[in-house]
Amino acid sequence: MKVPFNLPLIDEAVVGEMQDTLLRTTWLTSGPKVKAFEQELLKQTNAKQILCVNSWNSGTSLMLKWWGIEPGDEVIIPAYTYAATGICPLNLGATVKIVDVGTDFNIDVAKIKEAITEKTKAIIPVDLGGLPCDYAAIHQLIESPEIKALFKPANEKQEKLGRILVIGDAAHSIGATYEGKQSGSITDLAVFSFHSVKNITTGEGGAICFNLPAPFDNEEVHKYVKTFALYGQTKNAFEKNQVGKWRYDIIYQGMKCNMPDICATIGLAQIRTYESVLLPRRKEIYSLYYQGFANHSWAELPIYHTTEKTSSCHLFPLRIKGISEDTRNKIIQQISEMGIGVNVHYVPLPMLTLYKNMGFDIADYPVAYDNYSREISLPIYTTLKNEQIAHVIKNVIHICEEVLQLNKVAV
Ligand SMILES: *Cc1c(COP(=O)(O)O)cnc(C)c1O
């Protein structure tokens, strides 16, 4: 039995919606499908405003640019994430301050505190695997008089907020909740990714959620960013295409990162059943893995709910207690040879050449390294069948116990 690591959901609903786009609306770039998808996202998240874009990277870059991030500024990010989290601020010339994470894989708030300087302008916490970060503690920290006193606003927006901005990397966490709030409505700004492997996909895509506190006007900021995201043009092609609406202006030197309808079509079909079918299925897969590994003390299972949090169950990052990186690699090799797709999420940033060349050293990130060295991500996606899950559990248990036994003999 082959079990791919990940498959995007392409079901009847997606095919039907795509037929509608190709045969009825016949509109491919940003238009009615993006608008409908944004409406669904607003319902899903309770964010004040939503703007769909063509990737998480575009959304985060747009918002860091809007915030005025420039060379000399510092942005705090966790060591345990996908490389994108750091590349966005780096591309704007900012310095990244990488901090260690906790055993729940999420950014360690005590480490954020140590990393804050008077140059710190933003924090990008990552809801790893779909589990929200400790946002109450993060907010308490950045709102504390001592930390606020360090903040040096460099423009009108920064003066208005008067503190460090929080941009949630919510690439994994659509559908997750924190203290009853939906992911996308928890932080000042949050950005989803709809890349092909994510819980909801548009092939490539992303969305910015706006929840800036007063006196910011989220509608106004949304309008600005929407215009900026399409060359600074006052109307998109769909709006210009309406009778008598041809005249447009270019009011900013903008970027080009709007989401096309052809992509939104897929996300629109998926999000309609996300809360009722797709997300519950992910939770079901989690509980099947939990049951499967319950009696195996070497298996350390990922947290997916606490009193404040529920996860969107994007990844299933299994850890094996007490093993080395080499043993983990050996286990992965054997599982892969069985035709079961597994992965590691993630190689910590300080282990990647780009960041190593900047002087980061994994020795300074012991928890990130420990999480990484013992981690194996198991398949989790909505079309995964129960037989496949049982097959994964059986083989992972068999291989792990065999390898662990071998190690014992070798010692
Ligand atoms: C996928 C991912 C991103 C990047 O998303 P894109 O849409 O590909 O730009 C950023 N952060 C995390 C944690 C991710 O998993």
Side-chain angles (χ1 to χ4, degrees):
M1 189 189 295
K2 275 222 185 303
V3 186
F5 178 69
N6 185 285
L7 285 176
L9 177 66
I10 303 170
D11 61 359
E12 264 176 51
V14 170
V15 172
E17 197 65 44
M18 192 56 86
Q19 249 169 350
D20 183 71
T21 300
L22 295 177
L23 303 175
R24 191 186 63 85
T25 75
T26 66
W27 190 266
L28 301 185
T29 185
S30 309
K33 294 290 162 100
V34 168
K35 199 163 188 177
F37 186 39
E38 287 174 342
Q39 290 305 317
E40 293 291 335
L41 286 164
L42 280 169
K43 275 196 272 172
Q44 167 65 41
T45 60
N46 298 314
K48 300 212 172 75
Q49 295 284 329
I50 295 264
L51 179 69
C52 281
V53 286
N54 61 6
S55 70
W56 180 94
N57 174 77
S58 298
T60 304
S61 301
L62 276 164
M63 295 324 296
L64 288 171
K65 220 170 150 62
W66 166 83
W67 182 234
I69 291 292
E70 55 186 19
D73 290 342
E74 293 177 356
V75 176
I76 297 176
I77 59 169
Y80 208 91
T81 182
Y82 179 57
T85 314
I87 285 179
C88 274
L90 287 170
N91 278 340
L92 290 171
T95 302
V96 290
K97 296 285 284 270
I98 302 180
V99 304
D100 207 358
V101 295
T103 53
D104 64 354
F105 295 100
N106 282 343
I107 195 161
D108 181 336
V109 182
K111 295 285 194 261
I112 296 178
K113 189 175 180 190
E114 289 171 18
I116 292 174
T117 72
E118 53 184 33
K119 293 179 184 163
T120 308
K121 289 290 160 58
I123 303 173
I124 311 181
V126 180
D127 299 330
L128 206 112
L131 186 73
C133 296
D134 291 328
Y135 289 112
I138 291 173
H139 269 273
Q140 201 180 4
L141 175 67
I142 59 172
E143 302 271 8
S144 72
E146 154 202 14
I147 297 297
K148 273 181 99 166
L150 277 179
F151 187 70
K152 298 267 178 298
N155 59 42
E156 210 178 292
K157 290 159 199 155
Q158 296 180 4
E159 222 151 81
K160 221 184 213 182
L161 189 65
R163 60 158 171 81
I164 298 167
L165 178 77
V166 181
I167 305 186
D169 179 340
H172 298 175
S173 63
I174 190 162
T177 62
Y178 181 81
E179 291 180 342
K181 284 187 186 169
Q182 286 288 334
S183 175
S185 66
I186 306 163
T187 48
D188 300 327
L189 300 165
V191 184
F192 295 132
S193 170
F194 302 125
H195 175 272
S196 186
V197 301
K198 307 292 172 33
N199 282 21
I200 290 178
T201 185
T202 58
E204 295 280 1
I208 307 165
C209 306
F210 300 78
N211 309 286
L212 294 160
F216 282 97
D217 179 347
N218 285 287
E219 206 178 314
E220 194 183 290
V221 178
H222 171 270
K223 192 175 169 208
Y224 170 85
V225 177
K226 184 179 173 185
T227 305
F228 197 90
L230 208 164
Y231 289 132
Q233 184 168 306
T234 49
K235 287 173 193 159
N236 68 25
F238 189 77
E239 290 155 349
K240 277 174 61 197
N241 206 38
Q242 309 307 306
V243 178
K245 301 285 189 201
W246 63 271
R247 188 177 290 281
Y248 66 92
D249 194 9
I250 298 288
I251 52 176
Y252 318 117
Q253 184 187 314
M255 289 160 62
K256 180 60 159 73
C257 27
N258 53 302
M259 177 185 282
D261 264 25
I262 194 85
C263 293
T265 298
I266 304 170
L268 179 61
Q270 295 183 350
I271 200 169
R272 288 188 182 127
T273 56
Y274 188 60
E275 283 288 341
S276 58
V277 181
L278 305 181
L279 189 55
R281 176 60 184 155
R282 286 184 173 272
K283 293 185 178 175
E284 206 167 72
I285 296 170
Y286 247 75
S287 54
L288 290 170
Y289 278 141
Y290 257 76
Q291 286 163 31
F293 293 110
N295 299 320
H296 300 274
S297 59
W298 48 262
E300 188 177 337
L301 307 180
I303 299 168
Y304 70 116
H305 53 80
T306 68
T307 48
E308 304 91 42
K309 307 176 187 184
T310 63
S311 173
S312 63
C313 301
H314 173 59
L315 298 172
F316 193 91
L318 173 71
R319 277 167 291 182
I320 317 291
K321 287 182 192 159
I323 60 166
S324 67
E325 188 180 346
D326 276 351
T327 306
R328 187 275 312 273
N329 296 346
K330 205 180 292 171
I331 294 171
I332 286 197
Q333 182 63 28
Q334 291 191 25
I335 297 173
S336 307
E337 282 166 9
M338 294 293 304
I340 297 170
V342 284
N343 243 302
V344 175
H345 290 91
Y346 289 93
V347 179
L349 303 187
M351 294 179 74
L352 302 172
T353 301
L354 174 75
Y355 295 96
K356 272 199 285 200
N357 288 346
M358 292 174 189
F360 292 104
D361 182 351
I362 191 63
D364 297 326
Y365 304 90
V367 185
Y369 181 75
D370 180 65
N371 288 340
Y372 152 79
S373 62
R374 303 187 292 108
E375 198 266 356
I376 302 171
S377 298
L378 303 183
I380 178 164
Y381 45 98
T382 49
T383 52
L384 195 61
K385 295 186 179 69
N386 285 1
E387 309 87 90
Q388 290 178 304
I389 297 165
H391 180 73
V392 172
I393 293 167
K394 194 178 101 192
N395 283 284
V396 169
I397 290 173
H398 178 74
I399 291 167
C400 283
E401 295 196 332
E402 203 173 67
V403 172
L404 292 172
Q405 200 59 40
L406 275 179
N407 275 1
K408 251 186 232 159
V409 173
V411 164

